[in-house]
Amino acid sequence: MMNHQMMLKAANEVLSAAEMRKKIVALEQDMLAHPDILVDFPLEHFFAPGLYMRQMTVPKNGYLTGRIHKTEHYCILAKGTVRLVTEDGTRDVSAPAVLHSMPGAKRAIFALEEMIWINVHHNPTDEHDLDKLWELFTVATYEEFAAQSENK
């Protein structure tokens, strides 16, 4: 089953957080199995003392999954309406909206309209290297997240 259909099906199911995580990972694997449909969305990066923000613009009908976030942070839907799939379930969100994201969060997003999504992270070391920020704030798998959480 392809991406948006999987998101719609997930919206109609009542699943545990662990089951929702599996659905999001399955969606991501399905997307990666079809590289011909993958699109890079434009990213902009903003820095201020102690802050890092990443802004992404996604056209209508674009979809994506994010990596697993290691830190508590905020997400801002500045423009558009999205179908948001998280471990808490599926819901439609319209801008303007501020979402509180907790460690372990991974989402799938389908843009019902062109969207602008902004992640806002605490950046106490004022790191500007994007690869280091990627490693600082995210991991690829839940196993990696669990291992890093245990080591804290």
Side-chain angles (χ1 to χ4, degrees):
M1 190 179 314
M2 287 300 291
N3 310 303
H4 187 236
Q5 290 84 14
M6 287 178 78
M7 292 176 117
L8 289 173
K9 185 175 181 206
N12 297 321
E13 297 176 313
V14 178
L15 302 172
S16 70
E19 291 169 319
M20 286 302 293
R21 285 179 171 187
K22 287 179 185 175
K23 290 277 187 184
I24 295 167
V25 169
L27 172 65
E28 184 173 73
Q29 290 170 345
D30 183 56
M31 291 167 62
L32 293 172
H34 299 90
D36 54 310
I37 64 169
L38 294 179
V39 177
D40 284 328
F41 302 115
L43 293 175
E44 294 183 64
H45 305 275
F46 303 92
F47 299 90
L51 289 176
Y52 163 62
M53 293 187 351
R54 185 182 71 196
Q55 177 178 300
M56 175 178 24
T57 301
V58 177
K60 180 179 179 176
N61 297 325
Y63 44 86
L64 61 117
T65 57
R67 284 179 48 106
I68 300 161
H69 286 266
K70 298 191 298 189
T71 62
E72 183 176 355
H73 64 284
Y74 282 95
C75 305
I76 301 167
L77 179 60
K79 176 183 177 183
T81 298
V82 301
R83 175 146 301 132
L84 182 64
V85 181
T86 69
E87 67 181 30
D88 297 323
T90 302
R91 63 187 171 126
D92 290 353
V93 179
S94 295
V98 176
L99 297 99
H100 188 193
S101 185
M102 298 304 289
K106 179 177 182 72
R107 10 183 123 62
I109 300 173
F110 177 75
L112 298 167
E113 303 171 353
E114 180 181 74
M115 72 166 209
I116 296 176
W117 184 275
I118 303 166
N119 285 342
V120 182
H121 293 277
H122 182 224
N123 185 7
T125 62
D126 288 322
E127 180 63 62
H128 281 64
D129 181 297
L130 298 179
D131 291 331
K132 288 181 183 175
L133 287 168
W134 186 258
E135 289 180 25
L136 183 65
F137 296 128
T138 69
V139 292
T141 67
Y142 285 109
E143 293 78 17
E144 196 178 344
F145 177 76
Q148 289 192 6
S149 296
E150 288 174 9
N151 292 333
K152 287 188 176 181

